[in-house]
Amino acid sequence: GEIMGNAAKAILWDGYDWRGVSPKTFTLGENYVDIDFYVPVAPLQFATNANNIDALLTNKGFEFTDTSGGGVTITGVTLTDADTVRISLSGAPAAGDVVKYTGATCRYGNLCDSDTTVAYYKDQDWTVPLVSGSPIHKDGLAYDLKNWCCAFTKTL
């Protein structure tokens, strides 16, 4: 609810054309696909947490389907700048190939923006005094209202 409220405020009061973290353009390279994103609060990041979610993910939540049958696979997923993800491949991508985020193999990802707005209503331990900007939650962690990348499927 707080993330939705944050988005509604951005649209209704701040006048932003808010799209969350979502793909804007796809660029095919010799052995990669670059995806430029709309990013409400730059830069993009691959979030981690106390459970090290990054270690649990395959390719950070991205999938690639080589429709030509050439066996092209993902060899790495990195951030190249504040709003671009590069999916490095074992060969050349081609028209008709498919890129997915949180698709069939990996049901979640960890791509998000850098919003540090604090969530105040997630299992907070109200017996602990609230320090402005740094609430203490029952699990001992503070939660930011980051904008997480939405699931998508794109045929190149």
Side-chain angles (χ1 to χ4, degrees), residues 40-55:
V41 182
L44 283 173
Q45 63 177 312
F46 293 114
T48 58
N49 63 15
N51 297 323
N52 195 12
I53 191 172
D54 193 47

Side-chain angles (χ1 to χ4, degrees), residues 31-152:
N31 62 345
Y32 64 87
V33 175
D34 279 350
I35 307 170
D36 290 324
F37 285 85
Y38 295 101
V39 184
V41 182
L44 283 173
Q45 63 177 312
F46 293 114
T48 58
N49 63 15
N51 297 323
N52 195 12
I53 191 172
D54 193 47
L56 303 174
L57 296 174
T58 303
N59 297 319
K60 311 222 185 278
F62 288 90
E63 297 177 19
F64 179 83
T65 303
D66 176 8
T67 57
S68 69
V72 176
T73 60
I74 295 176
T75 59
V77 177
T78 56
L79 298 170
T80 59
D81 60 35
D83 66 353
T84 305
V85 171
R86 173 165 287 177
I87 301 173
S88 297
L89 303 168
S90 61
D97 289 344
V98 178
V99 173
K100 291 183 182 179
Y101 182 71
T102 66
T105 305
C106 191
R107 290 300 204 204
Y108 55 93
N110 62 341
L111 181 63
C112 61
D113 71 359
S114 294
D115 197 337
T116 57
T117 303
V118 177
Y120 286 99
Y121 299 107
K122 186 171 180 10
D123 298 327
Q124 185 164 327
D125 183 351
W126 292 103
T127 64
V128 177
L130 180 64
V131 177
S132 180
S134 302
I136 304 288
H137 298 278
K138 288 183 181 178
D139 60 6
L141 300 173
Y143 292 93
D144 296 329
L145 292 176
K146 296 187 183 326
N147 295 289
W148 296 88
C149 184
C150 61
F152 64 84

